[in-house]
Amino acid sequence: MGNTLLTERDGALVVLTLNRPEKLNALNAELLGELDVSLAALAADPSIACAILTGSGDKAFAAGADIAAMLDMSTEQARHFSELGHRICSRIERAPFPVVGAVNGFALGGGCELALACDFLYASNKAKLGQPEVNLGIIPGFGGTQRLARRVGIARARELCYTGDTIGADEALRIGLVNAVVPHAELLGKVKDVAAKIAKKGPLAIAQCKRALFSGEGVPLDTANALETQAFAMLFGTADRREGMAAFVEKRAAAFEGR
Ligand code: COA
């Protein structure tokens, strides 16, 4: 493995940093392979409470799939590349802990799609987001046509995907693509604060909450509510649930153990 992905543990938090700053963290096969392997390993690690995904350097989260690497791709290679991107995005969505995106600059094309797979995003005031693939004669291939529509509504997704326009952080906030805009230098600190807040909660509850929100999207409300009921009831069989409620009654902080 190379060093195109940096993984930094900080207690129950892990910061994943896309690391090809000289190429604005453009996503090549090596970086995506590292991300794929790393996310698979983290999903199996019960000591992780929250992950942060960000980009190395001062300019980019990720400026897209690596265009130079795509230049000579065959149809079949492109299919595999798209499937790899989809698998990674799916790993982010299915991880048993939240993945918060810290959009520290350009999040274009595949970079925007990786961001869209995160649970939610905070952006630097310098961030620029968009799906400019049509400028290259292609379309988003890591779920952008689908997740962007779900995040910001289909009409705005159509406009962004058809025009290839890049939008700034304030516009991204206005349309609900990012949750907050933070002064550039403060971004990672703010995201670590919210991640640390999440990490103090019961991890089983957070995992079930993430799952209910994810699984319920796009299914009929009755079905989605039934999933919620199942998860709600299941949590009553956990030690963490008893501890959380006992701590409230005893007016003390809960000590969750993830069981
Ligand atoms: N794929 C491959 N290389 C990329 C890249 C990408 N998606 N985005 C940036 N780079 C490389 C540049 O080729 C350049 O490399 P070089 O120094 O070896 O020439 C380096 O990263 C810096 O980029 P540069 O274009 O010089 O920076 P800039 O500040 O002038 O422009 C962008 C920034 C983001 C506007 C511009 O890089 C860009 O348009 N990138 C492509 C965005 C895109 O279409 N993404 C979707 C891909 S599907």
Side-chain angles (χ1 to χ4, degrees):
M1 281 283 168
N3 61 352
T4 56
L5 180 74
L6 305 178
T7 306
E8 182 199 341
R9 273 301 290 264
D10 180 2
L13 307 185
V14 62
V15 182
L16 299 174
T17 305
L18 309 168
N19 187 39
R20 295 182 72 210
E22 72 290 352
K23 296 288 180 190
L24 303 187
N25 306 319
L27 308 168
N28 63 5
E30 185 187 3
L31 190 160
L32 291 172
E34 286 196 64
L35 190 54
D36 189 33
V37 169
S38 176
L39 287 166
L42 292 172
D45 181 347
S47 69
I48 307 279
C50 193
I52 294 168
L53 183 62
T54 193
S56 183
D58 213 29
K59 280 183 73 176
F61 177 81
D66 189 313
I67 300 167
M70 289 193 294
L71 185 61
D72 292 323
M73 260 184 201
S74 67
T75 301
E76 205 43 37
Q77 287 168 327
R79 184 188 308 281
H80 286 305
F81 192 61
S82 173
E83 285 169 354
L84 174 58
H86 277 284
R87 184 163 74 237
I88 289 166
C89 289
S90 179
R91 286 197 196 283
I92 293 171
E93 285 174 334
R94 288 166 202 278
F97 45 78
V99 181
V100 183
V103 181
N104 58 314
F106 290 111
L108 303 177
C112 190
E113 292 170 292
L114 270 188
L116 282 164
C118 293
D119 286 81
F120 59 87
L121 304 172
Y122 280 15
S124 143
N125 61 303
K126 292 186 182 171
K128 294 200 182 308
L129 302 96
Q131 299 288 166
E133 287 88 346
V134 288
N135 294 326
L136 305 169
I138 56 171
I139 66 167
F142 296 176
T145 59
Q146 307 308 310
R147 288 192 186 86
L148 185 61
R150 289 170 189 218
R151 188 71 57 99
V152 303
I154 195 152
R156 289 195 195 287
R158 285 183 174 128
E159 190 177 355
L160 284 167
C161 289
Y162 299 167
T163 62
D165 280 351
T166 294
I167 58 172
D170 288 339
E171 176 68 356
L173 177 66
R174 197 179 68 78
I175 66 174
L177 178 48
V178 304
N179 281 15
V181 178
V182 175
H184 188 70
E186 295 169 27
L187 177 66
L188 198 56
K190 293 277 185 208
V191 174
K192 281 186 174 172
D193 286 348
V194 74
K197 186 184 276 190
I198 292 167
K200 288 203 183 99
K201 316 300 176 190
L204 301 176
I206 295 291
Q208 289 303 318
C209 201
K210 171 166 176 162
R211 201 168 157 186
L213 282 157
F214 174 66
S215 306
E217 203 174 20
V219 301
L221 186 60
D222 284 352
T223 311
N225 281 337
L227 293 171
E228 184 190 81
T229 293
Q230 205 174 12
F232 179 80
M234 186 277 280
L235 288 165
F236 276 71
T238 68
D240 277 359
R241 188 281 300 186
R242 180 155 289 283
E243 165 62 12
M245 292 184 182
F248 176 82
V249 172
E250 293 161 20
K251 301 189 188 303
R252 59 175 175 82
F256 295 116
E257 291 179 355
R259 60 188 183 89

